[in-house]
Amino acid sequence: MIATEVQARVPVASKLVRAHTYAAFVGLLLSALFGLAVSVKFHVPEFLTNHAALTWGRLRYDHTQGILYAWLGNAFIAFIYFAVPYLTRRPVTSERLGWVMFFVYNFVAVLGGWSLVLAGVLQPLEWAEFPLIVAAVIELCLALMIVQFCIPFLKCGASELYVSGWYLLGGLTFTFLAYPLGNIVPHELPGAMGAAFSGLWIHDAVGVFITPLAVAVEYFVITAVTRKPIYSHFYSMVGFWLLFLVYPLNGIHHYIYSSLPMAAQRVSEAASIYQGIDVILVVTNLLLSIGLATEGSVLRDVPMRFVWTSIVLYLIVSIQGSVQAVMTFNSFIHFTDWVIGHSHLAMIGFASFAAMGGLGHIWQQMPGVRHSRRAMAWSYWLLVIGLGLMVLDLTAAGLVQATLWQRHIPWIDSVRASRPYWIFRTIDGVVLLAGFVVFGLSFVTGPRNSEGFLGLTLDTKDELPRDHKAQYWFTTAYAATFGAGVVFFFLSFLALGVYPAFRLRESIHKTTPVGAQLTLTAAEQHGGHLYAVDGCAYCHSMQVRFTPADVWRFGTPTQAWETQQQYPQMWGTRRIGPDLAREAGKRPVDWQLVHLYDPRYIVPDSVMPSYPWLFNGAPDRPTQDARDLVAFLNTLGRAQAALTPPLPRATYLLPVAASANDTEEGRQVFVANCAGCHGEKADGRSIGGQSLRPVAFNLAEFKLSDDLIWRVLQTGVPGSSMPSWNDLPSSDFRAVADYVAMVAQAGELTPDQRYASDEVLMESGRRIFETHCTRCHGEEAAGDGPDGLEMLPRPANFHEMMPSYQAAAEILRDGVPGSGMPAWPLLTPAEVQAVTFYIRSFYSAHPDGTAQPAASASMKMEGMK
Amino acid sequence: MTAYILGAATLILLVLILWRRSSPEFRRRSEQPKFQILANLGLGSRSSSRTKQPPEDTQPITRREHDEKRES
């Protein structure tokens, strides 16, 4: 216990307040820089991309964990050190313990956590990304905080405890209970069962850690600045208990329309709405406390201005949260940037503004420190403007994304549409960062406060509280309600954690198909680890929801039994790229590898980071890590795919005719969607296209029938990287088909290029073809030879495609890497020309309008072997 | 189950509100902490040595003044 020379003095541990305040600023600036880097990567994907430590996923992890622990954690601890003596008329338990806690919290938990995450030691759990060892340290710190701050409360009369004290006690105690749920339990319970507990912690991190401490600051600063009692302490306590009853019940609303039991989803939906009602009560009480006491004049006090703004935004973000949890609206808005706007409004607008108000108020009282009111006022406006623009921007982006996801268009269209919003988000982020910097400067510039004693000076020793025994405290009415609060917590644990887990266990037992391939090989498990380490789950969700838009786009909804080997679950709460729950077999391995090496090689508008450290300098030289990662991707949905045929997909009718008017539109669609692999000239010579196996098709050197173009666009080419483009809007689909038909050409030979007459070329070509080609391409060159039936991709059917002489010569010289077509280096140029002439004769849409006649055996064979 | 939990919470809340309206003693005790914190901050009957004085346009208020104001 802190020694006091004068018995009636209760000091604030001001050095610890200062230390945690400075640590909070460092944490805030670094976390904001992490966030800004993450934001820049959305529109400059190659920014900081050459090192694994600086990849998007890891910076994103450090951004959110830094805001939670480095910034808000330190800021609230500083406030608690300041507030506890005023709330309890007692000092905190031990200043020495405080310093131990400060070093462990900041240098082991925060710095250690950040470093380990950048080094790839982490867990892919939302708001719980620091690795387990760091989670254990944080849990230890939470225990130490209870010892440091709660013992003074135990020794003071509970009946006199101000509402801020209740929020501090509740926040610390409940966080200590909730923290292991999100950090440890998901490692023990797989997939859907683990998701139920993860959902609890996602919301408890905000609901029972951040929110109570922020509201504690608000109640404290209001009464200290107005110098008047709050409007109603009774209603403040009603709000307190409702918060702890209802908030933990919200958790599963992050997984609505998932395979979690519907009853649990309904609980979370109803609790979220009730939570909004509670917040209306709390905010009304807070605003009445300000308004009634001062008629608004206290807003000249800058910290109070921060607190007032925090209260207003608390109301807005809570109502927004309640609306988001309504299932019909959730089906529309979930996974979009709307939710990111919501979380920034909560963590900056509500929590950070409250913390800033609290720290600003403390600094006004702190002896001997500099304090600039003007800088703080500037920071307020910078932050309000930056936050306002960011939330509006992300909300609009979310609405755009949600609307596009409902439409039957390629996923990448939503990425393209989001780009302006993401650029604007970075600009907003710079404004916010400037606001944070100026706020920090306001603590080290300006006039210096006078020296003096910070704390309580009681008139007599008799005013010091008596050392009530713990038993006495526990028999008070407040103690009973505190016990009830703990019961509330376990209620949520049972309702949204244990109950769904038991229901899921039963469901999984009944529904798991016999022989379902769920276990992963060691390589696949390693790939899953890499997937987690680089934050893939934070852009690609891994759950197809039971919504029409999801089912249309991704296929069969994710069933609980499919997830029983996911340790921990990586369902995700955001989609920047498409969902990957049905990724198995959707893309060839070489496509995945090229896409990992540099996504823009084959998807020019992709914002996905590159992963060059998984390769030895080229996409066709992957390391074992890259192979393992792709192997893992091909396990996602594998068991389901083996059991159920793919859902029928929409088909388009054949085009009536190519239209010249569509050429430009078709070219634009081609460049946007096809040029990544086929090249802008459609010659298949892009870097990405040449890295694929088989290499991208040279459209510019083949004449293709309309039927073939249409069919390939609809169904893709099995065994190659060519996907179905069925999700293109029908107008785009038609335009690109027409464009391909236009660019696909296979010119004729000029007379001086010919080695022989048509008859000779035909006969010679026939004999070569029958000798070397029919086993795969078939006697009629329809791609149906006996050896070709098992090949993927299937051998070419020359009735619907006609190569140019140049293209055929290249293929015969080099083969088609990645397909069954070998090189035929021993054929002479004349033989190549002959066999090309022959196979061109089968093209049903030949320029002459008819198939060429079969060659006769009597034709001469000049120049041939 | 949701209905039971939230319904029970609402019922308890209504009982407490009605009890508070009918019982001056309950009302006094439930509001006591907001005066205690003022005293602890040196803004009520007890003194404090917080290094900076609060804004001039706000004056400390006693519980009696507060009650009188609320009654009026």
Side-chain angles (χ1 to χ4, degrees):
Chain A
M1 182 177 292
I2 296 171
T4 53
E5 293 179 7
V6 181
Q7 280 293 320
R9 277 190 164 188
V10 181
V12 168
S14 57
K15 288 182 180 174
L16 280 165
V17 174
R18 288 192 213 186
H20 278 287
T21 302
Y22 293 135
F25 287 143
V26 173
L28 176 62
L29 293 179
L30 286 175
S31 303
L33 282 172
F34 286 138
L36 193 59
V38 165
S39 179
V40 170
K41 280 171 176 276
F42 274 95
H43 44 90
V44 189
E46 296 307 321
F47 176 61
L48 298 178
T49 199
N50 288 326
H51 302 285
L54 299 177
T55 193
W56 186 92
R58 298 188 197 178
L59 292 178
R60 158 72 164 76
Y61 290 153
D62 273 355
H63 169 57
T64 50
Q65 292 286 271
I67 290 292
L68 184 63
Y69 297 116
W71 156 233
L72 291 174
N74 270 307
F76 287 133
I77 292 171
F79 169 77
I80 298 172
Y81 271 114
F82 177 79
V84 164
Y86 292 109
L87 292 168
T88 66
R89 284 180 287 150
R90 288 196 163 270
V92 296
T93 301
S94 163
E95 196 160 349
R96 179 176 296 176
L97 173 63
W99 285 112
V100 170
M101 205 166 71
F102 174 82
F103 282 104
V104 171
Y105 185 83
N106 285 291
F107 291 96
V108 180
V110 175
L111 269 182
W114 271 343
S115 306
L116 287 172
V117 165
L118 294 180
V121 182
L122 51 86
Q123 44 184 9
L125 298 170
E126 194 98 37
W127 290 110
E129 289 88 350
F130 282 169
L132 265 180
I133 181 68
V134 175
V137 174
I138 291 176
E139 183 71 353
L140 170 68
C141 288
L142 289 167
L144 293 178
M145 285 183 211
I146 290 174
V147 173
Q148 179 78 319
F149 301 125
C150 295
I151 287 177
F153 283 100
L154 292 174
K155 290 180 177 176
C156 95
S159 61
E160 295 182 347
L161 186 53
Y162 182 57
V163 61
S164 290
W166 282 107
Y167 274 110
L168 297 185
L169 281 176
L172 294 175
T173 309
F174 282 47
T175 305
F176 177 75
L177 292 170
Y179 188 77
L181 291 189
N183 285 271
I184 298 171
V185 176
H187 287 279
E188 305 302 320
L189 290 176
M193 290 187 280
F197 286 93
S198 289
L200 271 179
W201 170 246
I202 290 173
H203 224 82
D204 285 354
V206 179
V208 301
F209 180 46
I210 296 302
T211 299
L213 301 183
V215 177
V217 171
E218 290 166 350
Y219 273 117
F220 189 94
V221 174
I222 284 174
T223 205
V225 174
T226 63
R227 310 182 71 210
K228 292 172 184 173
I230 58 172
Y231 176 71
S232 169
H233 195 267
F234 173 76
Y235 283 113
S236 75
M237 291 304 298
V238 170
F240 167 78
W241 284 116
L242 281 181
L243 181 142
F244 280 101
L245 165 66
V246 180
Y247 227 128
L249 289 170
N250 288 355
I252 280 180
H253 73 197
H254 294 274
Y255 298 120
I256 284 176
Y257 289 109
S258 70
S259 57
L260 293 176
M262 187 51 71
Q265 296 183 39
R266 291 286 184 194
V267 167
S268 70
E269 183 189 25
S272 302
I273 296 168
Y274 206 93
Q275 178 65 36
I277 296 169
D278 176 42
V279 172
I280 291 172
L281 173 71
V282 172
V283 167
T284 303
N285 193 33
L286 286 163
L287 291 179
L288 284 173
S289 301
I290 299 172
L292 284 184
T294 65
E295 296 174 347
S297 62
V298 291
L299 294 183
R300 285 199 292 271
D301 182 272
V302 180
M304 187 67 194
R305 205 179 294 164
F306 273 103
V307 167
W308 180 86
T309 310
S310 160
I311 294 167
V312 173
L313 295 181
Y314 181 35
L315 178 66
I316 294 172
V317 79
S318 297
I319 300 297
Q320 189 189 31
S322 299
V323 172
Q324 284 170 208
V326 175
M327 293 187 79
T328 47
F329 190 65
N330 186 280
S331 71
F332 179 69
I333 211 69
H334 193 49
F335 293 125
T336 71
D337 273 335
W338 169 292
V339 182
I340 310 303
H342 170 71
S343 59
H344 279 83
L345 189 59
M347 297 304 275
I348 300 176
F350 164 51
S352 296
F353 271 53
M356 288 170 165
L359 293 181
H361 176 74
I362 292 172
W363 225 243
Q364 288 177 340
Q365 323 299 327
M366 184 67 71
V369 298
R370 291 188 181 278
H371 171 59
S372 169
R373 181 189 180 281
R374 174 174 292 187
M376 192 176 286
W378 270 103
S379 75
Y380 172 81
W381 287 110
L382 281 170
L383 291 169
V384 166
I385 292 168
L387 177 68
L389 291 175
M390 178 178 282
V391 172
L392 286 176
D393 175 50
L394 290 173
T395 302
L399 290 171
V400 169
Q401 290 155 358
T403 305
L404 294 177
W405 293 351
Q406 302 293 317
R407 295 170 56 188
H408 294 187
I409 57 175
W411 183 271
I412 194 70
D413 279 0
S414 71
V415 176
R416 292 186 191 113
S418 303
R419 189 178 291 264
Y421 298 96
W422 289 336
I423 293 172
F424 197 65
R425 192 242 309 259
T426 298
I427 297 169
D428 308 333
V430 171
V431 179
L432 276 175
L433 182 60
F436 293 142
V437 170
V438 176
F439 185 78
L441 288 175
S442 74
F443 281 61
V444 291
T445 58
R448 193 179 290 279
N449 288 349
S450 58
E451 296 289 346
F453 171 74
L454 182 64
L456 289 82
T457 304
L458 303 175
D459 291 341
T460 66
K461 279 192 272 186
D462 294 339
E463 285 192 302
L464 279 170
R466 289 178 292 121
D467 277 339
H468 296 273
K469 291 182 179 178
Q471 296 96 318
Y472 171 75
W473 193 86
F474 280 112
T475 57
T476 63
Y478 277 115
T481 47
F482 187 80
V486 177
V487 172
F488 292 167
F489 172 78
F490 280 104
L491 191 64
S492 73
F493 177 71
L494 291 172
L496 298 190
V498 176
Y499 164 74
F502 272 103
R503 286 289 304 273
L504 286 166
R505 189 184 296 270
E506 187 182 323
S507 158
I508 288 169
H509 180 69
K510 286 180 181 173
T511 57
T512 303
V514 177
Q517 188 186 356
L518 292 167
T519 52
L520 305 185
T521 65
E524 290 163 350
Q525 287 179 11
H526 179 60
H529 170 73
L530 295 169
Y531 184 93
V533 160
D534 287 327
C536 306
Y538 281 41
C539 289
H540 297 281
S541 63
M542 204 193 285
Q543 51 156 334
V544 181
R545 301 204 300 168
F546 293 83
T547 64
D550 263 29
V551 172
W552 180 85
R553 190 174 291 281
F554 302 118
T556 310
T558 302
Q559 311 289 321
W561 65 263
E562 293 180 76
T563 69
Q564 58 188 289
Q565 294 295 326
Q566 295 175 0
Y567 288 95
Q569 57 83 22
M570 289 188 275
W571 281 11
T573 56
R574 175 76 177 93
R575 283 177 184 161
I576 296 163
D579 185 274
L580 297 183
R582 297 282 173 250
E583 188 64 11
K586 194 178 276 187
R587 312 273 190 183
V589 169
D590 51 285
W591 186 96
Q592 297 282 16
L593 290 171
V594 175
H595 192 244
L596 275 176
Y597 181 78
D598 189 337
R600 278 150 298 284
Y601 276 5
I602 45 182
V603 185
D605 289 329
S606 172
V607 297
M608 183 171 137
S610 307
Y611 296 89
W613 56 89
L614 296 176
F615 295 81
N616 294 311
D620 56 354
R621 291 163 60 195
T623 63
Q624 189 56 44
D625 281 354
R627 293 185 187 283
D628 290 350
L629 180 51
V630 172
F632 172 73
L633 292 174
N634 279 315
T635 68
L636 302 178
R638 178 175 61 188
Q640 178 72 32
L643 295 166
T644 54
L647 291 173
R649 306 190 62 154
T651 57
Y652 299 118
L653 297 174
L654 279 167
V656 177
S659 163
N661 295 333
D662 295 336
T663 303
E664 179 54 27
E665 183 188 349
R667 193 189 69 80
Q668 290 176 4
V669 177
F670 183 88
V671 169
N673 298 289
C674 317
C677 295
H678 292 288
E680 290 204 19
K681 296 177 181 173
D683 57 5
R685 298 195 190 282
S686 71
I687 300 173
Q690 288 299 304
S691 302
L692 299 174
R693 293 293 179 271
V695 294
F697 195 74
N698 180 351
L699 294 166
E701 296 279 349
F702 278 79
K703 190 70 183 168
L704 306 171
S705 71
D706 288 346
D707 186 55
L708 175 64
I709 295 171
W710 210 251
R711 192 174 69 246
V712 167
L713 283 172
Q714 281 203 353
T715 62
V717 178
S720 82
S721 297
M722 177 68 187
S724 162
W725 289 94
N726 226 9
D727 47 5
L728 280 175
S730 58
S731 59
D732 287 1
F733 193 95
R734 180 185 300 267
V736 78
D738 291 349
Y739 180 75
V740 170
M742 188 197 74
V743 299
Q745 299 297 330
E748 297 293 324
L749 290 173
T750 59
D752 59 326
Q753 291 173 320
R754 291 170 177 266
Y755 285 100
S757 65
D758 286 358
E759 291 76 12
V760 174
L761 288 174
M762 181 65 83
E763 175 56 16
S764 176
R766 182 185 66 76
R767 294 181 65 171
I768 296 166
F769 185 85
E770 288 176 356
T771 303
H772 299 302
C773 312
T774 53
R775 289 199 61 83
C776 293
H777 289 282
E779 290 184 4
E780 296 300 320
D784 56 356
D787 289 357
L789 293 177
E790 299 299 320
M791 288 181 181
L792 284 178
R794 295 288 301 277
N797 174 355
F798 295 112
H799 293 265
E800 32 184 37
M801 67 166 65
M802 182 171 72
S804 72
Y805 286 91
Q806 176 67 25
E810 288 179 6
I811 289 173
L812 288 169
R813 183 189 66 206
D814 302 328
V816 179
S819 80
M821 178 69 189
W824 296 92
L826 298 180
L827 291 178
T828 67
E831 288 172 323
V832 168
Q833 190 179 88
V835 77
T836 304
F837 186 88
Y838 179 74
I839 60 176
R840 283 167 59 101
S841 71
F842 289 97
Y843 183 60
S844 57
H846 192 271
D848 293 348
T850 56
Q852 297 294 299
S856 70
S858 61
M859 290 178 178
K860 293 181 181 177
M861 299 174 62
E862 297 170 8
M864 306 294 163
K865 282 183 181 175
Chain B
M1 187 172 67
T2 320
Y4 286 129
I5 295 170
L6 299 182
T10 308
L11 191 62
I12 293 168
L13 186 58
L14 286 173
V15 168
L16 286 172
I17 290 171
L18 291 174
W19 185 10
R20 180 173 178 272
R21 287 185 68 85
S22 62
S23 167
E25 175 60 15
F26 180 44
R27 195 157 58 237
R28 187 192 67 76
R29 289 188 61 179
S30 66
E31 298 299 328
Q32 170 65 22
K34 71 183 183 185
F35 299 105
Q36 181 63 50
I37 186 66
L38 281 174
N40 292 353
L41 288 166
L43 305 174
S45 59
R46 295 183 177 92
S47 63
S48 168
S49 65
R50 285 153 60 97
T51 55
K52 189 171 181 178
Q53 292 304 309
E56 291 177 2
D57 56 350
T58 57
Q59 295 297 320
I61 189 169
T62 64
R63 198 177 121 210
R64 176 175 294 177
E65 288 169 349
H66 178 265
D67 288 344
E68 287 170 356
K69 197 171 182 179
R70 291 288 294 276
E71 291 297 324
S72 64

